Amino acid sequence: MAGIAAAPQQSQEGARPMARRFGLRWDHVRTLLWLRWKLTVRGYTHSARQIVGFVFTTIFLVGLAAALGLGTAAGYLLLDRPDAAQLLYIVLVGLWLAWAAFPLMQYTLNEGLDVTKLQTYPLTRGEQMASLLLATLLDISTIVILALLAAVIVGWHASLPAVLITVVALALVYVLIVTTSQLLLAALMGILRSRRFRDLMVVFFALFGVSCALINQFVSRAMIGFRPGDFATWHLERYLQWFPTGFGARAIILADQGNYVAALPWLGVMLALAVVMLVVWAWVLERGITTAESAGAGVRRRSRRGRAGVAVAGGAGGGAVAGAASVSEAGAGRGGWGPFSGPALAIADKDRRYFWRDPQIKASLVSSIFLLVFVMLPSIFGGRRVELTTPDGGLGLPIAPWQVFLAPLPALFITLNLAQNAFGLEREGLQTLFLFPVRPLDILRGKNLAVGVVAGSLAVLMTLLVAALGGAWSNVPIALGYGIAAILVVMGCGNLISVFIPMRVRRMRMGQGNFAASGNGCLRTLLMGFASMATYALLIPVAAALLLPLLLSHSEWLVVTLPASLLYAIVFYEVVTRIAASQLLKHAPDILKATVPDN
Amino acid sequence: MSLPPYNQPPADIAAAQAAAQAPYPPAAFPPPDAAIAMLGLTRTFGTKIAVNGLTLAVKRGEFFGFLGPNGAGKSTTIKMLVGLLRPSAGRAWVGGVDVWRDPIRAKLQMGVLPEQLNLYDRLSGRELIQFAGRLYDLPRDEVARRTESLLNVLMLGDDADKLVIDYSVGMRKKIALASALIHRPAVLFLDEPFEGIDPVSSRVIADILRDLTNSGTTIFFSSHILAVVERLCTRVGIVKQGQLIAEGTLADLRQRAGASGGSLEDVFLDLVGANTREGGLEWLE
């Protein structure tokens, strides 16, 4: 950056305004590209984990780019020209749309250069735009664009002039793709940075990911009757030709037909569009950076402070605190309920709010329910229709009475999700929690209460629903009994696992995997896998107590096995939770180290 | 009195620790009037010794300033004192209670404003303070009363129902301070409490802290704003490279640094050995 800082400022003085704004000094552009190169290389080689990540990303993207490039090139060469033209429109407009949409979901396709950090240096807009555009060539995802554009040249090279027009058109397509993507990012920066939008998108993507299973079924059904020749009948060009990159496709197709002169105006339109978008992008970017986003808020806060200041001057002052009751009040053991102390209830209350307010936990809860209710349970129940009406006065729906026993499964699934890494899910807040003088048993009981209420409510709801649909009301107490027993066993295991194998839960950004763990290491992940298997093994007695009487047609045994199962679960939960609690304080610094970054 | 460390430190660290000048004989430690005490407190990260055999006692009702350049080990020391980071060696007491042997009793007496505010940011400001009050097991009506008074005094009343994630840095700091004060702690640990706080709030917080010390609260205070330290603190300790290099009242330190009449900043710079004149920056002139 020294090169920039030391640049003689006089060079731009006296120049015309436009030149001052958009003039290019190639040594500046070169310095900026050097910066981008350094940042890119160091970004990928900063640590062993990043190197491994880079290698895997490269393998994936190169594979994807090669498949897309070869596939579309084959399409251009093998399909009839009208079908190939449709494919060209789809590819060029699809690329443009994808690159415009993905960054809005924080899939960082084009990082280019963060020009907001360059505003203090004497750089023209032209230099910023040029270096940003060229810098995108260093983005790893650009390989996909380049592969698809190269395939276009392979498929559309009827003559030398046609190749020239195609290359120019594709260069302009590239500029338009990158510019539109960056322009949208700059224009929507305020919305994209808003917490509510990000929260909403986290939940949206979790649901989207889960619903892919459903979408996949629809797509595969649609693909059964698809023939490549159908392309031409779709007449997509009617719509796609009016997209900015659709102009490029039109120019390429015209050049391929030998209408070189007719192709040139479309190149001109694209060039004009690219210039306009670059200028608008520069303007929006500069406006976004130089407009004091916080100015309004600052004014608002100042006015509030002013009002509050009056209140302080009015005598509240520090005396309000100094006059508070003494420390001896703390720890007096108030506000408890049954086996739950006041602090345990406070923790449960906090967790209950978090289940709804933390988008990541909400996404996990909602997607678990979504997955189980709409995907797994229908697959279990589907094709096993036993009877249309039941002696208990059922609604005549295709659900057998025994299927009530499956109804608590979603609740069990949610308990597994929330209880197995209870402290990891606390994330940074865990540091605050460990500052309070709360008995470890209260911490675990509070957290279990919150999970238990959510899972228990769901178990009751699902069991009653399935019982109503199948008319198997007599099975409800049995199903709920086993459901509660299983939930207790899972929560007990979860307490132990949370203390001994805490895992970091990374804050999910849009475009990343749900609950993606980071920095947990292979050993910890492996241990967590074993712990999960142990949990399933410990559920065997509960499952056996239900299944054996049913399979052996001795349902009268349930009178003994159901209470025995509940007793096993309660004793197991109590013993294991107390063991975990006895170790919690000892392991608190290690749990913090494992779960809270930079602690 | 034999005081075994929790974990045996490596030999070189043990030697470094032994070499540290302990102002109190171990047998008399912790002193009966000490609200905060640490003996041979050591923390290593790999081969780096972040805190090196720190021995110190802060009396009840003192406003103790804990100073040092960046990386001196201030935050690490505070983390060990409040039970967030296990010492490699040494012991720590708060209100006469060993922090690492009886953490719950120790934590009952302390309020903490950490440097890095890892708050429950999906709670509203009001909910966060109430949550803290309930964890200290205060009666609900008392929690509600104190919460409102803290919100008013710290000028957070208008934003009390906003989620903490939407707060500015200064507001987060104030809400964290409110959470640390809700149970009227006997000992208050403050790590950079005035950073990012506007002057009006700074004055209010300073007044609150002074009131607290007047009524017997002990404050252990780390800050880089030396003017505030000079104004508030009754005693100061300066750490450098994990070791306590000076400790005493401002007058003691001035005397020791031979800078009679100088400001705390002069004394501090003198003790930590800052050099601003011989850096080879003549070309700037």
Side-chain angles (χ1 to χ4, degrees):
Chain A
M1 296 311 297
I4 296 167
Q9 294 180 7
Q10 288 81 358
S11 63
Q12 292 177 18
E13 287 177 10
R16 288 168 308 186
M18 278 300 279
R20 273 207 303 271
R21 283 184 180 178
F22 294 100
L24 282 178
R25 279 172 55 103
W26 285 107
D27 54 337
H28 282 184
V29 176
R30 205 168 51 241
T31 308
L32 292 174
L33 289 178
W34 165 85
L35 172 71
R36 174 65 181 139
W37 171 250
K38 283 284 174 194
L39 293 177
T40 305
V41 171
R42 285 178 188 163
Y44 290 135
T45 57
H46 182 64
S47 65
R49 208 174 73 212
Q50 280 162 327
I51 293 171
V52 172
F54 172 65
V55 169
F56 278 105
T57 309
T58 308
I59 291 169
F60 170 73
L61 278 177
V62 167
L64 179 72
L68 289 173
L70 290 172
T72 52
Y76 300 138
L77 294 172
L78 300 175
L79 291 172
D80 295 336
R81 236 31 188 163
D83 295 339
Q86 298 275 329
L87 182 61
L88 182 65
Y89 275 112
I90 291 171
V91 168
L92 294 190
V93 176
L95 264 180
W96 183 77
L97 286 174
W99 252 249
F102 281 139
L104 302 182
M105 304 161 193
Q106 291 193 4
Y107 282 90
T108 46
L109 293 178
N110 289 111
E111 291 182 350
L113 271 169
D114 185 355
V115 287
T116 57
K117 292 177 183 167
L118 298 172
Q119 294 306 302
T120 52
Y121 300 105
L123 295 167
T124 66
R125 282 184 191 171
E127 285 160 359
Q128 289 180 18
M129 297 301 108
S131 52
L132 224 166
L133 262 178
L134 292 172
T136 58
L137 289 169
L138 294 174
D139 288 320
I140 193 162
S141 55
T142 303
I143 199 169
V144 176
I145 303 184
L146 295 180
L148 284 166
L149 298 189
V152 174
I153 298 173
V154 171
W156 301 85
H157 60 281
S159 61
L160 186 62
V163 171
L164 284 174
I165 288 173
T166 301
V167 169
V168 173
L170 293 180
L172 289 168
V173 162
Y174 181 78
V175 172
L176 283 170
I177 287 172
V178 173
T179 313
T180 308
S181 164
Q182 294 286 347
L183 173 59
L184 277 172
L185 272 181
L188 300 175
M189 208 178 281
I191 295 172
L192 294 175
R193 281 180 180 169
S194 79
R195 198 240 324 148
R196 284 192 172 81
F197 176 79
R198 284 182 281 130
D199 287 1
L200 195 70
M201 291 306 278
V202 167
V203 178
F204 170 78
F205 273 96
L207 286 179
F208 178 77
V210 171
S211 59
C212 275
L214 292 175
I215 293 168
N216 187 33
Q217 289 178 10
F218 291 119
V219 171
S220 28
R221 275 180 202 163
M223 290 300 284
I224 290 168
F226 175 77
R227 283 176 292 116
D230 292 348
F231 256 151
T233 61
W234 292 359
H235 293 295
L236 291 171
E237 76 279 0
R238 287 180 195 161
Y239 317 103
L240 301 185
Q241 65 179 333
W242 301 111
F243 284 79
T245 48
F247 300 149
R250 189 186 286 204
I252 293 167
I253 292 163
L254 286 170
D256 187 65
Q257 293 164 349
N259 296 330
Y260 309 124
V261 179
L264 292 178
W266 294 109
L267 293 183
V269 171
M270 283 178 78
L271 182 63
L273 205 58
V275 171
V276 168
M277 288 187 78
L278 278 168
V279 172
V280 173
W281 173 24
W283 179 76
V284 169
L285 198 64
E286 195 174 292
R287 194 169 165 271
I289 294 165
T290 54
T291 304
E293 191 188 64
S294 56
V299 169
R300 191 166 53 84
R301 281 191 202 116
R302 273 196 296 279
S303 68
R304 284 177 180 178
R305 281 172 192 144
R307 287 202 302 278
V310 175
V312 173
V321 176
S326 72
V327 69
S328 60
E329 282 182 33
R334 296 177 175 86
W337 177 71
F340 302 103
S341 67
L345 290 178
I347 289 169
D349 193 31
K350 186 274 294 174
D351 276 7
R352 180 185 59 80
R353 290 175 203 274
Y354 253 63
F355 290 161
W356 183 248
R357 290 182 190 167
D358 187 320
Q360 214 161 325
I361 298 178
K362 190 183 345 186
S364 168
L365 278 173
V366 173
S367 58
S368 298
I369 296 170
F370 189 87
L371 186 74
L372 286 153
V373 172
F374 292 102
V375 181
M376 276 179 68
L377 289 184
S379 344
I380 294 168
F381 296 142
R384 290 179 181 241
R385 179 175 163 176
V386 178
E387 52 204 83
L388 287 170
T389 53
T390 63
D392 303 27
L395 300 177
L397 289 164
I399 288 180
W402 66 268
Q403 286 170 337
V404 175
F405 299 130
L406 298 175
L409 277 181
L412 202 60
F413 194 70
I414 281 172
T415 311
L416 273 167
N417 237 350
L418 295 177
Q420 273 210 321
N421 188 21
F423 296 122
L425 286 176
E426 289 269 316
R427 287 190 289 256
E428 291 85 358
L430 188 63
Q431 184 177 309
T432 303
L433 184 64
F434 282 157
L435 285 173
F436 293 114
V438 187
R439 288 190 317 140
L441 197 59
D442 288 337
I443 295 179
L444 295 176
R445 282 209 201 285
K447 299 191 83 59
N448 289 165
L449 178 63
V451 176
V453 166
V454 172
S457 308
L458 187 67
V460 170
L461 198 73
M462 287 293 291
T463 307
L464 293 178
L465 185 70
V466 176
L469 293 174
W473 295 107
S474 57
N475 286 344
V476 168
I478 303 167
L480 283 179
Y482 287 107
I484 290 166
I487 287 172
L488 280 172
V489 171
V490 171
M491 283 202 301
C493 292
N495 290 338
L496 213 56
I497 296 169
S498 297
V499 171
F500 288 103
I501 321 171
M503 303 269 280
R504 179 172 300 170
V505 176
R506 191 171 52 183
R507 274 203 193 279
M508 198 170 99
R509 285 175 56 202
M510 287 171 277
Q512 288 179 337
N514 190 14
F515 279 6
S518 74
N520 284 313
C522 291
L523 181 64
R524 198 174 284 270
T525 311
L526 209 62
L527 283 173
M528 183 60 110
F530 283 129
S532 298
M533 281 191 272
T535 305
Y536 300 136
L538 288 161
L539 280 170
I540 289 174
V542 178
L546 171 71
L547 293 176
L548 284 179
L550 293 178
L551 293 175
L552 299 175
S553 303
H554 281 287
S555 52
E556 71 276 7
W557 291 359
L558 286 168
V559 179
V560 178
T561 56
L562 177 63
S565 170
L566 270 171
L567 188 67
Y568 159 74
I570 291 167
V571 171
F572 177 82
Y573 171 81
E574 272 300 314
V575 170
V576 167
T577 302
R578 282 175 189 280
I579 292 171
S582 69
Q583 297 298 310
L584 179 56
L585 285 180
K586 192 175 154 194
H587 284 80
D590 307 314
I591 296 171
L592 272 177
K593 194 177 165 191
T595 56
V596 182
D598 308 321
N599 176 58
Chain B
M1 185 166 83
S2 166
L3 296 167
Y6 293 103
N7 301 312
Q8 197 60 45
D12 55 335
I13 298 164
Q17 185 193 333
Q21 295 290 317
Y24 305 95
F29 219 80
D33 60 343
I36 304 164
M38 58 199 103
L39 180 67
L41 205 61
T42 302
R43 176 67 204 199
T44 58
F45 297 101
T47 53
K48 182 179 163 51
I49 305 171
V51 176
N52 191 354
L54 222 57
T55 298
L56 179 71
V58 178
K59 289 180 190 164
R60 290 184 208 283
E62 266 190 336
F63 203 130
F64 189 84
F66 195 53
L67 311 181
N70 291 333
K74 303 187 296 294
S75 295
T76 305
T77 304
I78 291 179
K79 278 185 184 173
M80 288 192 283
L81 288 174
V82 301
L84 288 179
L85 186 69
R86 186 181 292 125
S88 303
R91 293 177 69 173
W93 294 264
V94 169
V97 179
D98 189 317
V99 175
W100 289 92
R101 293 207 172 155
D102 195 351
I104 293 179
R105 260 185 69 211
K107 285 174 185 179
L108 260 174
Q109 306 187 58
M110 60 170 95
V112 184
L113 178 71
E115 181 193 27
Q116 202 169 346
L117 297 174
N118 289 328
L119 303 173
Y120 285 109
D121 53 15
R122 299 278 169 171
L123 295 181
S124 70
R126 179 177 279 113
E127 286 168 351
L128 184 68
I129 304 175
Q130 288 175 341
F131 173 65
R134 289 175 68 189
L135 290 190
Y136 285 111
D137 227 355
L138 297 172
R140 285 204 182 211
D141 52 347
E142 185 61 22
V143 170
R145 191 178 71 79
R146 292 186 188 191
T147 300
E148 293 313 313
S149 72
L150 282 165
L151 286 169
N152 283 334
V153 170
L154 291 168
M155 293 167 282
L156 290 167
D158 290 348
D159 298 304
D161 294 318
K162 267 169 63 175
L163 296 192
V164 174
I165 196 171
D166 295 327
Y167 277 15
S168 67
V169 176
M171 289 161 80
R172 285 169 72 91
K173 201 139 247 184
K174 287 198 279 184
I175 210 74
L177 181 66
S179 304
L181 291 176
I182 183 82
H183 63 302
R184 177 65 172 83
V187 179
L188 195 56
F189 290 93
L190 306 170
D191 200 349
E192 298 289 355
F194 293 104
E195 216 169 53
I197 300 269
D198 65 89
V200 179
S201 300
S202 290
R203 171 56 67 91
V204 173
I205 292 170
D207 288 346
I208 293 171
L209 298 181
R210 242 195 301 259
D211 284 352
L212 282 169
T213 45
N214 288 340
S215 56
T217 298
T218 309
I219 298 180
F220 194 86
F221 172 79
S222 159
S223 177
H224 283 125
I225 309 171
L226 296 180
V228 176
V229 176
E230 193 166 13
R231 192 152 43 88
L232 294 176
C233 294
T234 50
R235 210 154 63 92
V236 172
I238 298 175
V239 280
K240 185 184 173 187
Q241 294 173 345
Q243 287 183 308
L244 192 69
I245 56 168
E247 184 226 327
T249 62
L250 200 59
D252 292 340
L253 293 183
R254 281 199 190 108
Q255 198 174 19
R256 183 171 166 183
S260 179
S263 67
L264 178 62
E265 186 178 338
D266 296 328
V267 175
F268 178 78
L269 293 176
D270 200 36
L271 285 167
V272 300
N275 182 356
T276 55
R277 287 289 163 211
E278 294 166 21
L281 294 178
E282 298 82 9
W283 59 272
L284 272 176
E285 292 165 7

